[in-house]
Amino acid sequence: LLSSPVRRQAQQRCEGCHSLFGEYYCGICHLFDRDKKQYHCAECGICRIGPKEDFFHCSKCNLCLSLSLRGKHKCIENVSRQDCPICLEDIHTSRVGAHVLPCGHLLHRTCYEDMLKEGYRCPLCMHSALDMTRYWRQLDDEVAQTPMPTEYQNMMVEILCNDCNARSTVQFHLLGMKCKNCESYNTAQDGRCRLPLEEQ
């Protein structure tokens, strides 16, 4: 009769020759790797690239985030369980770090950097993905220096702000329409252009 093979527990070194299988070994994930300052996060259920001292686990977002974001990010429950809206790949188990947008949505850090080459808005909710205040003030100057043709000078339009979700009626301008509430130009026309009542 053949004897059944002896089951051995996974471990960092070979019991026979003591060869090292990996500089890092996780007894829970059974992960062997070169040392990249990895650590096992019990809440995430996987090993993460560290060092551990630089990260904290946000229980609402369900993800390990940089300590610089502690108390400074908008939490969305289980946001890490969604795929990256740029590359459509998993964020939670990715080796690429996650970037938290001001709106709370997550992108891979590399996808965020690529996105900024094309635009400035979250692909899910259209909220500004970074502080645009300086650019909005530049746009103020450009709008002031660019008069509209006579037929459009008194044209009013209803807008919806993608940053604060406020609705307002503002003067139409081809370069952009500024939110009356938060002064952002990240707005969308939410109705037809119309003349003021006195000119209709």
Side-chain angles (χ1 to χ4, degrees), residues 11-200:
Q11 52 194 20
Q12 194 167 7
R13 290 186 177 273
C14 172
E15 286 180 356
C17 68
H18 302 290
S19 291
L20 189 67
F21 296 127
E23 295 168 329
Y24 173 79
Y25 169 68
C26 175
I28 299 167
C29 297
H30 301 298
L31 172 71
F32 298 89
D33 203 352
R34 291 193 320 260
D35 183 17
K36 298 172 191 159
K37 308 272 190 272
Q38 299 95 323
Y39 65 97
H40 181 85
C41 175
E43 292 93 342
C44 285
I46 59 172
C47 289
R48 298 238 178 245
I49 294 175
K52 185 175 185 174
E53 310 81 62
D54 293 351
F55 294 87
F56 76 100
H57 183 87
C58 176
S59 54
K60 188 167 184 182
C61 294
N62 203 4
L63 183 69
C64 287
L65 298 171
S66 169
L67 274 178
S68 63
L69 292 172
R70 189 187 292 263
K72 297 178 186 163
H73 72 286
K74 181 177 178 182
C75 290
I76 296 178
E77 195 155 349
N78 282 324
V79 72
S80 72
R81 299 299 200 230
Q82 299 170 4
D83 291 339
C84 172
I86 303 286
C87 68
L88 305 178
E89 292 184 10
D90 183 50
I91 290 178
H92 186 75
T93 59
S94 176
R95 294 181 75 145
V96 177
H99 182 86
V100 185
L101 299 177
C103 57
H105 291 120
L106 294 181
L107 305 175
H108 290 115
R109 188 173 38 253
T110 50
C111 293
Y112 170 73
E113 290 161 4
D114 289 343
M115 181 196 78
L116 290 181
K117 295 173 188 169
E118 305 291 327
Y120 65 91
R121 298 188 291 195
C122 170
L124 294 174
C125 67
M126 305 305 278
H127 192 283
S128 294
L130 64 162
D131 184 5
M132 298 291 289
T133 309
R134 263 182 61 206
Y135 180 69
W136 298 153
R137 298 307 65 93
Q138 279 181 290
L139 208 47
D140 279 342
D141 294 339
E142 288 179 35
V143 166
Q145 294 169 18
T146 312
M148 291 292 288
T150 311
E151 62 269 26
Y152 292 106
Q153 282 182 358
N154 296 316
M155 194 73 70
M156 302 300 284
V157 66
E158 291 177 24
I159 60 166
L160 171 65
C161 180
N162 291 316
D163 287 339
C164 72
N165 296 317
R167 294 178 187 277
S168 50
T169 302
V170 298
Q171 195 165 355
F172 176 76
H173 201 286
L174 287 173
L175 294 179
M177 291 161 287
K178 181 177 174 177
C179 173
K180 285 183 177 178
N181 187 52
C182 71
E183 301 191 332
S184 165
Y185 280 91
N186 181 11
T187 59
Q189 191 171 324
D190 191 35
R192 293 181 311 172
C193 291
R194 56 185 171 77
L195 291 169
L197 284 172
E198 61 269 16
E199 296 188 23
Q200 290 180 358

